[in-house]
Amino acid sequence: MGLYSPPDKSSSPPSSTDDNIKNAKSPNDADDTETIHFYNRPSIGLRMWGPLVPGSDCRWGLWTLLTIQTFIGYKFLRKFIKITFPYMTSNTTVKRNIADIPSLNRFGGKVGDPIYVLQPTSPNAVNPINTTTTTNNISSATISNLSRFGAGTRNINRTTINNSRNNNDKHWFTFTFKKNKNQNNENNSNTDSKYTNFTRVFYFVSGCGLLGQSLLEFLRLTFFDYDPWYEQAKAVREKAFFNDIQKYYREGIDPTKISVKVKDSKTGKLKDVTSDSGVLSSVAIARATMKQSSFLNKWYGPMDYKPLSFEEYLDRIEHFQEYNDSLHKLRGVNELITASITGDHKSHGSNLSKELEKLHNVNLKARNSTLKLLNNVPANTLGTLQNGDENSTTDSSSFLTFFQINDTVKIIPSMAKNYTNIELSNTWTLNDPWEKLAIETELGIKIIPNSRNFNDYNDLAEEKDSPSPATTNIGNNGQTSSPDKTSLLEEVDKQKSSHNSHQEE
Amino acid sequence: MFNKVLLRSSKLNYNPSIFQKISAVQRNVINITPLTNNNNNNININNQVFRNTQLSTKRTLVSKSLSQPPKDAMTTAREIAAKKNKKIVFLRTAFFITAGLIGLLYWAWPKHNFPYPVAKFLRKGLWEERDDNRDNNGMPNYQAALKYYLLALDKADEVGMSKISDDYTGIELKVAEMYEKLNMVDNASRIYLELSYRYYDCLRNGTYDIDEMEKPHYIQKDLRCVIKWLQFNMSSQPHPEVFQFAKGLLLSHLLLAEEELMAKSPEFPLNNLTKDDLQKQIEHKYSGTINFENMINEDNIFLDTDGYIALDLEQKSSYAWFPFKDEFFTARDLYSAMCLSTKDIASAVNYKLTTLKWMVLAGMAPGQIMLSQANLGSLLYLRGEEFEGKLNYLQKHPESLNSTNTEVVADDLNLTTTMRLYNKSKDECYKAAIECYEAIIKFTRNHSKLRFESNINGLNPSVSQAIVLSTYGLGVVNLHLDHLPQAEKLLNDSLSMSKQIGFAELTTEAENELKKLQAIKAEKKQLESKQKMDQ
């Protein structure tokens, strides 16, 4: 987590008070005055990656990092095993210079050194005293080996026999390995074993640590029902998108660089609409989308938010668990509320699945009968809604309507000659029915009161019911509505009230 | 020869261990030459091979030239092996990189989740529905499209697509859309109803296996379906039973969303009501006071460091709301509207009060919170009018007082206490309404950038709408309270502003109110002149 301050600023030392904060680069904007607080993205098992950890809603990023970490951990552990139990792991031989094998080397120093060997007088009389070696650098080890000549011979025999008998190099080489350590490098053996021990411990600890951490993170990603960090990251991403749109909208378009012109259908003249709010907002949305789809943003999410602390994370999970335990009690109350408000109507409860099935069957029947009907009816005979209202709104002076989602289906690629050419994934996304429904159900509800003369009350109060009328103004924020859909939900008593209801944009 | 043998063997077999063996043996031979003659026949066949060589170098010096060849041979062999190893490593790396790239490409490539036969029908359907359908005189052929979508749905059933997946429900929505286009509204609305039932069943009883983290996503879809269904069925005057059903439907689905919020947001006020509390609340709708609390202030409305509209990234209470907050508040507003339509203003006000508080919790955009508060002001004004009406009625018909038609909770119900309570409540309502409106106007006045933004009428129309509505509402209240000069000024202001931002409905209303105001003024003048005349 970091506070990234630009380098040219008066040298303020990295705030050591909060160790979550450290220095980082500021964005290279024209004005570098603002600093961006970058907090490490939270994680349970990937913390060692520090600022590399992706945002919690970047699932693919988390999995990638998790895989890498697991792989490294596995490698470490393997290395540890390789060092400790070499014969268990290697299917290739441990390569060792033959000169290092003591039992075979009692006459020679390093490879390549000239060795003088005296021919013994009798082949059977093996006397080490008679054997003199003169070389430039005869090691002490060689001399000590000489004194143990007999043992050396046995060694030769044993190794070769082992070698030829079971064709198993491993044993042989373990043997030489140990010999080498004990005898050849007596001076270095202490430090060497210390080093080996250190690496061994290091590989073991870090390998186990990494794998354990990976396991924790794996559990978080797969087995946790509820992940507050994920929820937060997702929400924050959406919020940042909104904020970006606002920001870019305010920035607007530099008219010296870009100008947007539209041909007026009536006059045929080019109209400059660069400063039109519709153009501005669509440019802002496009820029924000661009920013959203950048790799950095996809990986981290918005830069400058502070993730929930680990304690908060746990608190939320605890709350969630507690709540779920007491859910049944709460549901009882909730049902009571519903029942009390709606009178006789039973909210979906016990017989929900039956109702659902009934409904499904009715719909299925409708589907089948409609299919039959469609097969028998010529094209364009079934009634279609009049879209007159829509046309009138698209003619409005604001350019905004042009950029709103249209009611018609757009095909990708637009050059498609046949239905087989359609790129279904793109076309479906462009005409996503759920998005369309979202726009249709985005209602702007405004309640506009009207004043009344005091005399009115006399008439109104004649009624026994509550005398006040309803005044609601429910409009559809989308452009696709037709009048009867968006008209009032209420029965507004128009004669008695002076309130009006409207449909509005 | 020595060299050659070694080299040959190295070519035949690259296993480096063999070299080591060979070289080891060979060195034994060299070093222990005197011994091998008789004793070491068992060493190796190679010994025999090399013996001649050794014999020739009998006696003394094993020179560099002799000890060199084995080393060279070994290094060559090692080099070859290393080369081989390098090749393998290279190939392996290349393989992994290619596999990774292919995987990435596959992952990033746009793809759909429809099985092939379903996809085929969907393509056909979309093709018929395209905006310039040349096979159908340049008009979309909804009939044909509906046919294909229905077939696609049948196929999807056959293939066994998950009925809760967005893909399957997407096809259903397409079918509903086509029904709607072809004026088969009943069919369409039933599809939405079924969808909402299915989601409810799934979320409530866990009929389908969904991820806990995916729940908000489905709640969002559920609420959309419910709202759409209401749009279909509440448009004309609905049958009272349908109306009650709609209310129940809306409420139960809203409660489902609230359950989700209670679980995931510790900041959300937990519903700790017992049954008794609830019963009391239901019996005694009205206790005499309005718990209005102004929400439009610096604590609740977040503006960025420059004073512009922004959402607070770190508002902890808002995270759980995010996926479905828009749908949720639309549905809640609809519920208020439904209450209003049955002239149950008390419920509408209470519901709206909670809505407003929750909107702040949910971190809604400032404009929407403002608009919500402006609406609350209007509701409060209506509530005040209601009390005033009742008061007037009671004054005229004192005999009508009985426990059934009053909302007042009092131990001894008598005319004076009731009237006093009504009067008090009326005043409170008007006061709260004025506070509601004034807070919005004051806040926007204090934050000039917010006001500036509201003027450009681009992304945040609700800010300007809230301001205009508040100005207008304040005008209406003042008119009602007989403060004519203020009322006139405010109404004129709202009229010009609403014209500026294209808030057509309010323009007409403001004009009407101004006419009324003029009428009252004229009346007053007449009265004054009459009085003067009388004097």
Side-chain angles (χ1 to χ4, degrees):
Chain A
M1 350 208 139
L3 161 72
Y4 286 79
S5 56
D8 54 321
K9 270 183 134 187
S10 59
S11 57
S12 56
S15 48
S16 52
T17 46
D18 185 357
D19 53 21
N20 281 339
I21 292 178
K22 64 187 173 202
N23 274 7
K25 294 158 215 156
S26 72
N28 296 328
D29 287 349
D31 51 338
D32 265 345
T33 45
E34 57 176 318
T35 52
I36 283 187
H37 292 260
F38 179 79
Y39 297 90
N40 284 354
R41 299 298 178 244
S43 159
I44 294 179
L46 298 173
R47 280 184 204 179
M48 57 164 280
W49 294 92
L52 287 181
V53 180
S56 299
D57 61 338
C58 179
R59 283 306 207 218
W60 60 270
L62 284 172
W63 279 112
T64 313
L65 209 59
L66 182 63
T67 318
I68 295 172
Q69 180 174 305
T70 315
F71 184 71
I72 294 175
Y74 165 77
K75 276 281 168 195
F76 274 23
L77 220 59
R78 220 183 130 74
K79 206 137 196 183
F80 160 75
I81 293 171
K82 237 181 192 171
I83 293 175
T84 324
F85 318 104
Y87 54 88
M88 275 175 67
T89 48
S90 60
N91 44 10
T92 56
T93 342
V94 180
K95 288 173 194 166
R96 282 226 157 252
N97 195 334
I98 196 71
D100 295 340
I101 300 171
S103 60
L104 302 175
N105 198 21
R106 74 209 84 118
F107 297 121
K110 289 173 185 167
V111 175
D113 290 336
I115 302 167
Y116 295 92
V117 184
L118 281 179
Q119 189 83 23
T121 46
S122 145
N124 289 328
V126 181
N127 188 352
I129 300 161
N130 290 343
T131 320
T132 330
T133 53
T134 47
T135 118
N136 291 340
N137 44 0
I138 297 172
S139 66
S140 59
T142 329
I143 295 165
S144 71
N145 277 340
L146 280 173
S147 60
R148 280 188 270 141
F149 186 71
T153 333
R154 271 211 302 284
N155 279 346
I156 293 170
N157 288 341
R158 198 157 81 210
T159 50
T160 43
I161 286 162
N162 277 340
N163 190 22
S164 54
R165 193 171 53 203
N166 50 11
N167 199 22
N168 183 3
D169 334 324
K170 286 171 188 169
H171 181 76
W172 189 65
F173 279 100
T174 327
F175 173 78
T176 53
F177 176 65
K178 281 177 183 165
K179 263 291 199 225
N180 169 47
K181 257 179 72 183
N182 293 339
Q183 299 190 351
N184 238 11
N185 298 325
E186 267 170 17
N187 297 337
N188 298 331
S189 63
N190 272 344
T191 51
D192 191 44
S193 67
K194 258 185 201 167
Y195 173 73
T196 324
N197 276 341
F198 171 73
T199 45
R200 202 186 296 169
V201 168
F202 169 76
Y203 281 131
F204 181 72
V205 169
S206 47
C208 283
L210 284 175
L211 285 183
Q213 294 278 301
S214 291
L215 186 73
L216 278 179
E217 187 69 16
F218 177 78
L219 287 180
R220 177 198 160 198
L221 289 180
T222 49
F223 288 102
F224 275 27
D225 269 352
Y226 169 52
D227 185 352
W229 280 331
Y230 173 79
E231 186 184 82
Q232 185 197 20
K234 233 177 155 182
V236 166
R237 207 179 276 264
E238 262 182 68
K239 282 185 178 188
F241 185 61
F242 176 87
N243 287 352
D244 282 342
I245 293 176
Q246 300 290 328
K247 199 178 107 196
Y248 292 136
Y249 186 87
R250 277 198 300 274
E251 277 177 17
I253 308 170
D254 188 355
T256 54
K257 285 178 187 164
I258 304 161
S259 71
V260 183
K261 283 179 180 168
V262 168
K263 201 168 188 179
D264 198 330
S265 54
K266 283 168 195 162
T267 55
K269 279 179 190 166
L270 280 178
K271 212 166 87 183
D272 193 355
V273 288
T274 314
S275 55
D276 189 285
S277 62
V279 177
L280 286 180
S281 60
S282 53
V283 167
I285 290 169
R287 283 178 70 186
T289 317
M290 284 267 284
K291 192 183 167 191
Q292 276 258 312
S293 52
S294 75
F295 176 78
L296 219 58
N297 201 293
K298 271 187 179 165
W299 186 270
Y300 289 114
M303 284 297 168
D304 50 347
Y305 84 95
K306 186 180 173 191
L308 297 171
S309 69
F310 190 57
E311 286 74 35
E312 282 166 321
Y313 177 81
L314 290 182
D315 281 351
R316 272 161 192 265
I317 288 184
E318 196 187 337
H319 174 85
F320 177 73
Q321 291 298 344
E322 267 173 23
Y323 175 79
N324 273 352
D325 292 343
S326 61
L327 188 62
H328 280 284
K329 232 196 287 171
L330 273 164
R331 276 194 172 158
V333 176
N334 280 349
E335 250 149 45
L336 198 77
I337 296 174
T338 322
S340 67
I341 289 169
T342 56
D344 263 352
H345 170 70
K346 287 188 183 64
S347 63
H348 327 290
S350 51
N351 53 354
L352 172 67
S353 45
K354 267 185 209 163
E355 279 175 49
L356 177 60
E357 208 181 314
K358 223 192 269 172
L359 203 57
H360 182 68
N361 287 336
V362 173
N363 277 338
L364 213 59
K365 258 186 210 163
R367 258 157 66 180
N368 291 335
S369 60
T370 317
L371 255 182
K372 267 182 208 158
L373 180 76
L374 287 172
N375 283 332
N376 300 327
V377 161
N380 298 329
T381 43
L382 293 175
T384 49
L385 286 178
Q386 293 302 307
N387 292 337
D389 185 58
E390 255 169 64
N391 296 336
S392 69
T393 51
T394 43
D395 280 345
S396 74
S397 59
S398 170
F399 203 61
L400 190 72
T401 45
F402 179 81
F403 290 93
Q404 296 230 334
I405 291 187
N406 249 315
D407 198 26
T408 49
V409 164
K410 294 264 186 300
I411 300 286
I412 296 179
S414 50
M415 306 298 290
K417 291 257 157 46
N418 198 325
Y419 73 89
T420 47
N421 298 349
I422 295 178
E423 281 176 24
L424 186 56
S425 56
N426 285 334
T427 313
W428 192 258
T429 320
L430 186 71
N431 307 293
D432 190 359
W434 277 113
E435 288 304 311
K436 208 177 258 184
L437 186 64
I439 291 166
E440 279 172 16
T441 52
E442 202 182 326
L443 305 172
I445 296 176
K446 284 153 217 115
I447 301 169
I448 304 174
N450 293 56
S451 70
R452 262 181 301 188
N453 295 328
F454 292 98
N455 299 336
D456 292 350
Y457 288 101
N458 300 337
D459 311 330
L460 283 167
E462 300 293 313
E463 291 177 278
K464 287 277 150 87
D465 296 332
S466 343
S468 245
T471 312
T472 346
N473 187 323
I474 298 171
N476 194 318
N477 284 343
Q479 301 281 329
T480 50
S481 59
S482 48
D484 62 334
K485 272 191 287 176
T486 43
S487 61
L488 283 186
L489 295 167
E490 303 73 34
E491 3 156 12
V492 179
D493 200 346
K494 279 185 181 163
Q495 283 107 26
K496 298 223 169 74
S497 77
S498 54
H499 305 288
N500 293 328
S501 52
H502 309 273
Q503 188 223 341
E504 49 113 1
E505 189 261 310
Chain B
M1 181 200 168
F2 187 82
N3 257 338
K4 269 182 193 165
V5 172
L6 263 183
L7 278 177
R8 195 181 302 142
S9 66
S10 74
K11 269 173 199 163
L12 287 173
N13 189 346
Y14 291 114
N15 190 344
S17 65
I18 293 212
F19 290 109
Q20 285 196 339
K21 268 180 244 166
I22 294 172
S23 57
V25 167
Q26 148 217 334
R27 207 177 302 214
N28 287 345
V29 172
I30 296 164
N31 286 343
I32 332 166
T33 318
L35 308 177
T36 50
N37 285 341
N38 298 323
N39 295 348
N40 282 336
N41 289 335
N42 61 340
I43 288 184
N44 211 317
I45 300 171
N46 284 339
N47 287 1
Q48 303 299 325
V49 178
F50 299 135
R51 186 159 298 149
N52 295 334
T53 334
Q54 258 110 69
L55 288 175
S56 70
T57 55
K58 228 194 246 174
R59 195 162 302 155
T60 68
L61 181 86
V62 181
S63 69
K64 262 188 188 173
S65 58
L66 193 66
S67 61
Q68 209 66 21
K71 193 197 170 194
D72 281 350
M74 277 167 63
T75 28
T76 339
R78 274 195 194 130
E79 270 166 19
I80 291 167
K83 259 188 195 171
K84 178 85 179 174
N85 255 354
K86 251 187 197 169
K87 211 173 167 186
I88 288 172
V89 167
F90 174 76
L91 278 177
R92 203 195 282 160
T93 328
F95 171 77
F96 278 124
I97 288 174
T98 342
L101 276 179
I102 289 172
L104 201 73
L105 206 68
Y106 180 76
W107 172 77
W109 199 259
K111 56 183 174 291
H112 59 81
N113 302 321
F114 299 108
Y116 174 72
V118 181
K120 199 177 107 187
F121 283 122
L122 285 184
R123 282 204 179 88
K124 281 186 180 175
L126 285 169
W127 184 246
E128 291 296 343
E129 213 197 326
R130 70 192 192 275
D131 51 358
D132 53 341
N133 191 345
R134 272 182 225 112
D135 309 329
N136 194 35
N137 308 325
M139 292 279 284
N141 188 352
Y142 294 127
Q143 263 175 246
L146 175 58
K147 194 174 102 187
Y148 289 125
Y149 289 139
L150 283 171
L151 287 172
L153 208 54
D154 284 346
K155 263 278 174 301
D157 279 339
E158 237 174 68
V159 180
M161 274 174 82
S162 164
K163 285 200 169 180
I164 206 82
S165 70
D166 282 359
D167 302 313
Y168 185 89
T169 50
I171 308 175
E172 280 183 303
L173 284 192
K174 270 281 174 207
V175 169
E177 206 186 309
M178 293 302 110
Y179 277 147
E180 199 185 330
K181 291 244 161 74
L182 298 172
N183 241 347
M184 301 154 106
V185 180
D186 278 355
N187 285 354
S189 95
R190 264 203 310 273
I191 286 188
Y192 290 112
L193 191 63
E194 190 198 331
L195 272 172
S196 74
Y197 266 58
R198 197 187 299 153
Y199 281 125
Y200 190 90
D201 190 29
C202 164
L203 290 165
R204 178 75 192 257
N205 306 331
T207 326
Y208 299 89
D209 188 27
I210 55 167
D211 198 11
E212 178 67 42
M213 292 311 288
E214 286 295 304
K215 262 188 174 181
H217 175 78
Y218 292 111
I219 289 176
Q220 182 194 39
K221 306 282 185 241
D222 175 43
L223 287 175
R224 277 185 200 166
C225 289
V226 172
I227 295 170
K228 185 74 185 175
W229 185 84
L230 287 171
Q231 283 181 330
F232 273 124
N233 287 278
M234 299 290 113
S235 50
S236 54
Q237 277 200 2
H239 190 270
E241 235 173 66
V242 177
F243 192 82
Q244 279 303 50
F245 172 78
K247 240 176 154 180
L249 185 82
L250 188 55
L251 212 59
S252 48
H253 286 253
L254 276 171
L255 279 172
L256 199 68
E258 282 169 34
E259 269 179 15
E260 174 77 7
L261 291 167
M262 283 182 219
K264 294 191 175 167
S265 171
E267 294 87 357
F268 190 81
L270 258 180
N271 195 347
N272 281 329
L273 293 174
T274 62
K275 283 189 181 179
D276 291 343
D277 289 341
L278 201 70
Q279 215 63 44
K280 263 182 210 163
Q281 268 202 357
I282 292 157
E283 279 167 16
H284 311 139
K285 264 188 198 163
Y286 178 64
S287 57
T289 48
I290 302 276
N291 307 315
F292 170 67
E293 196 186 318
N294 174 35
M295 286 291 160
I296 310 294
N297 53 37
E298 276 76 7
D299 298 338
N300 294 327
I301 303 287
F302 179 82
L303 299 171
D304 67 5
T305 43
D306 299 330
Y308 290 115
I309 283 179
L311 296 180
D312 186 4
L313 293 187
E314 277 152 37
Q315 190 188 355
K316 293 190 175 88
S317 61
S318 69
Y319 298 141
W321 294 82
F322 239 82
F324 54 84
K325 65 178 171 104
D326 290 328
E327 282 80 5
F328 182 77
F329 287 114
T330 306
R332 273 189 80 90
D333 278 354
L334 274 181
Y335 186 78
S336 291
M338 281 168 82
C339 288
L340 204 60
S341 73
T342 46
K343 295 166 189 170
D344 183 4
I345 299 180
S347 301
V349 169
N350 280 334
Y351 212 70
K352 195 81 189 172
L353 275 167
T354 327
T355 308
L356 185 62
K357 275 180 202 160
W358 286 0
M359 275 180 127
V360 174
L361 263 188
M364 290 290 279
Q368 271 156 315
I369 299 178
M370 286 181 185
L371 194 57
S372 198
Q373 176 151 331
N375 281 339
L376 176 65
S378 306
L379 278 176
L380 283 168
Y381 169 73
L382 289 178
R383 181 83 171 136
E385 268 191 348
E386 188 185 15
F387 280 122
E388 202 170 342
K390 281 184 178 172
L391 197 66
N392 284 358
Y393 184 74
L394 266 184
Q395 272 171 347
K396 284 190 181 170
H397 311 271
E399 73 284 353
S400 70
L401 180 77
N402 61 52
S403 57
T404 49
N405 70 347
T406 55
E407 298 174 23
V408 180
V409 187
D411 294 334
D412 52 336
L413 194 73
N414 62 46
L415 196 63
T416 35
T417 47
T418 313
M419 282 188 40
R420 200 185 298 145
L421 249 176
Y422 275 161
N423 206 16
K424 189 183 145 231
S425 305
K426 178 200 82 180
D427 289 345
E428 251 181 36
C429 282
Y430 286 149
K431 216 183 109 199
I434 290 174
E435 202 188 329
C436 249
Y437 291 136
E438 276 184 342
I440 296 170
I441 295 170
K442 200 179 143 202
F443 187 81
T444 47
R445 199 172 285 151
N446 288 346
H447 295 87
S448 53
K449 279 170 180 167
L450 197 69
R451 213 175 164 78
F452 158 76
E453 223 163 288
S454 71
N455 284 339
I456 52 180
N457 184 27
L459 287 172
N460 299 300
S462 41
V463 175
S464 45
Q465 280 170 357
I467 296 171
V468 178
L469 193 55
S470 304
T471 317
Y472 168 83
L474 211 54
V476 170
V477 181
N478 273 316
L479 179 61
H480 185 87
L481 298 177
D482 224 18
H483 305 147
L484 294 186
Q486 286 108 306
E488 190 172 9
K489 186 176 170 292
L490 287 164
L491 286 172
N492 272 324
D493 278 357
S494 69
L495 182 65
S496 60
M497 277 196 284
S498 67
K499 272 181 185 163
Q500 198 184 331
I501 65 164
F503 195 167
E505 297 72 30
L506 201 98
T507 314
T508 49
E509 289 302 313
E511 275 164 358
N512 286 342
E513 290 299 307
L514 275 171
K515 268 178 210 159
K516 261 187 232 168
L517 190 136
Q518 299 305 340
I520 293 171
K521 259 188 175 175
E523 224 173 82
K524 275 198 173 171
K525 266 189 186 168
Q526 269 189 351
L527 269 177
E528 274 172 22
S529 55
K530 252 189 192 175
Q531 278 170 352
K532 272 184 190 171
M533 291 276 279
D534 289 346
Q535 279 170 1

